[in-house]
Amino acid sequence: MSNRVNSVSEIRESVDPKLVPQRVLATGAQMPAIGLGTFGSDHVGAEQVAQAVKAAAAMGYRHFDCASVYRNEDRVGESFRQIMAGGIARRELWIASKLWNNKHAESDVIPSCRQSLDDLGLDYLDMYLVHWPFPNFHPPGCDVSSRSPNARPYIHGEFMKTWRQMEKLVDLGLTRHIGTSNMTIPKLELLLRDARIRPAVNEMELHPHFQQPELFDYVRRHGIEPVGYCPIGSPGRPERDRTPEDTVDTEDPAIVRIAQRLGLHPAVVCVKWAVQRGQTPIPFSANPRNALANLRGVVGEPLTAEDMRDIAAIDRHCRLIKGQVFLWKPDQSWEALWDQNGAIET
Ligand SMILES: NC(=O)c1ccc[n+]([C@@H]2O[C@H](COP(=O)([O-])OP(=O)(O)OC[C@H]3O[C@@H](n4cnc5c(N)ncnc54)[C@H](OP(=O)(O)O)[C@@H]3O)[C@@H](O)[C@H]2O)c1
């Protein structure tokens, strides 16, 4: 992957943000159906991510997926300041951030959101998500065998205490919407039963080799927008998130065949499929040429019904972000995090 084009000044082409499809949330708010991820993994530094954000805004991106654990919100915030100084109004942007796992305590939620607002240089967020449904901390950049001694399973009563504070953030005007990430149907069932303010989105892993049809249908049926992370299959993900069984979406013969026919990179086919299927992908790219290709992909010629059928048929049920570092028992398998037998694992 070339990294030749690096600065906003080198981007001569853009997409009119008005052409980008919008998702209408349960509140009536409109969220651009593609966003830029801002997790630089373990190899793209904060400054490079901040430059990518600026370049993306210049080419027409208006939706940005941030998180305190990405450890770059202050630098990304400087880019937002420059973007707005350059004439893009705050209301034209859709900015999400996330509560990290070590800030689930009732007294930590509001200060943590305020810290992200401060770092991002904003008065309000469009979306604030609970990053993981577990309060299980792991040190940044840790290895796959790392476990927190205080790790616990999902405990609904505890999660609701966190959620009540999330609801307060909406009351305080610090965020317009709240949402979840990495949830399962059994956990969402309880949250939807007990929430005063329902999650507007669930951010979840979604790519052609991991389509999660049951959860995807469930959230849509309940008026929750699915935001899809790792839409390209996260080729740059950290070592701790790689196993020998992982498959590669961009090498799938169906994706490659469609890409060749359209003269696009296979990554762009993954992004087009995501938007057309009805999820909101948030691809990361530190390379403006790739970011532009992704944005152009979603406003360009749609995939055919046959392409969509072919991609629907290549689901390999291959979860890439398994979350091993959040496990709470020794010798537990990562499947325990995902309630695969239909009940919450304790
Ligand atoms: N909620 C959660 O728990 C969670 C978990 C994981 C991720 N996320 C969010 O989801 C975002 C996206 O996930 P991700 O970054 O892991 O994976 P991804 O978006 O699937 O993949 C990003 C990688 O794809 C490459 N790429 C992007 N566009 C390309 C193109 N057109 N042609 C060729 N290569 C291309 C990028 O390389 P270049 O930089 O060289 O273009 C980068 O290495 C993250 O940044 C983060 O915001 C959330």
Side-chain angles (χ1 to χ4, degrees):
M1 267 171 254
S2 154
N3 221 8
R4 201 171 49 81
V5 181
N6 274 324
S7 92
V8 64
S9 58
E10 291 175 72
I11 290 292
R12 308 249 179 271
E13 298 156 296
S14 62
V15 167
D16 182 350
K18 291 194 191 74
L19 299 178
V20 173
Q22 304 287 312
R23 306 295 184 209
V24 181
L25 304 186
T27 57
Q30 293 196 5
M31 174 178 77
I34 177 172
L36 186 81
T38 65
F39 176 45
S41 188
D42 291 347
H43 59 275
V44 182
E47 191 46 44
Q48 215 184 332
V49 173
Q51 290 302 325
V53 165
K54 249 189 329 184
M59 68 183 74
Y61 279 82
R62 293 293 178 266
H63 175 173
F64 298 90
D65 179 74
C66 307
S68 57
V69 76
Y70 301 160
R71 295 193 294 165
N72 55 23
E73 286 193 321
D74 53 343
R75 310 308 289 266
V76 168
E78 178 54 26
S79 294
F80 288 147
R81 202 186 56 71
Q82 291 177 26
I83 289 164
M84 289 187 272
I88 298 174
R90 172 66 186 91
R91 65 174 180 285
E92 295 173 54
L93 298 170
W94 180 275
I95 300 172
S97 181
K98 311 187 193 83
L99 179 77
W100 187 235
N101 303 2
N102 59 344
K103 299 290 181 186
H104 280 210
E106 279 177 290
S107 57
D108 285 340
V109 177
I110 293 174
S112 193
C113 181
R114 284 196 196 277
Q115 181 67 53
S116 283
L117 284 169
D118 233 42
D119 287 342
L120 293 167
L122 304 172
D123 299 330
Y124 71 91
L125 292 166
D126 296 281
M127 178 75 69
Y128 197 53
L129 308 173
V130 183
H131 207 142
W132 286 82
F134 310 96
N136 302 349
F137 175 73
H138 73 83
C142 71
D143 139 289
V144 70
S145 60
S146 169
R147 298 284 181 275
S148 156
N150 302 319
R152 354 198 231 288
Y154 177 85
I155 299 170
H156 183 61
E158 285 189 9
F159 189 80
M160 282 313 298
K161 286 187 188 162
T162 307
W163 193 257
R164 293 292 175 235
Q165 298 300 312
M166 296 289 286
E167 291 171 331
K168 252 187 217 164
L169 293 172
V170 178
D171 298 339
L172 291 168
L174 299 179
T175 185
R176 302 247 158 118
H177 303 84
I178 50 178
T180 52
S181 178
N182 297 306
M183 289 288 265
T184 61
I185 293 175
K187 293 179 182 112
L188 279 168
E189 284 276 290
L190 295 179
L191 178 60
L192 292 180
R193 182 193 69 193
D194 294 339
R196 174 170 66 85
I197 301 178
R198 293 159 65 94
V201 311
N202 183 55
E203 193 165 305
M204 54 200 269
E205 183 177 330
L206 287 171
H207 44 96
H209 281 183
F210 193 59
Q211 303 188 16
Q212 303 210 65
E214 206 190 335
L215 181 56
F216 177 80
D217 290 343
Y218 175 90
V219 297
R220 298 221 307 176
R221 219 171 37 248
H222 288 84
I224 301 169
E225 280 296 323
V227 171
Y229 72 70
C230 303
I232 296 165
S234 196
R237 67 190 180 283
E239 280 310 311
R240 64 177 171 276
D241 289 325
R242 291 175 192 271
T243 64
E245 302 77 51
D246 293 352
T247 60
V248 181
D249 302 71
T250 49
E251 291 174 4
D252 188 287
I255 301 286
V256 170
R257 185 172 29 75
I258 297 166
Q260 282 172 348
R261 191 190 81 230
L262 299 176
L264 298 170
H265 190 285
V268 181
V269 174
C270 295
V271 172
K272 283 171 85 71
W273 167 78
V275 173
Q276 223 169 306
R277 183 194 189 208
Q279 64 228 31
T280 295
I282 44 172
F284 171 73
S285 177
N287 180 335
R289 209 166 279 295
N290 289 344
L292 181 62
N294 295 340
L295 186 63
R296 280 207 170 129
V298 309
V299 300
E301 191 69 26
L303 298 176
T304 64
E306 194 188 344
D307 293 337
M308 293 301 286
R309 272 197 303 276
D310 288 351
I311 300 177
I314 61 168
D315 192 355
R316 305 275 294 271
H317 313 290
C318 178
R319 189 187 288 281
L320 300 171
I321 308 302
K322 300 174 182 71
Q324 297 94 327
V325 292
F326 304 126
L327 290 169
W328 57 90
K329 283 182 193 165
D331 304 323
Q332 212 176 8
S333 159
W334 60 266
E335 281 88 352
L337 294 162
W338 304 102
D339 304 334
Q340 295 196 147
N341 63 5
I344 295 175
E345 293 258 1
T346 55

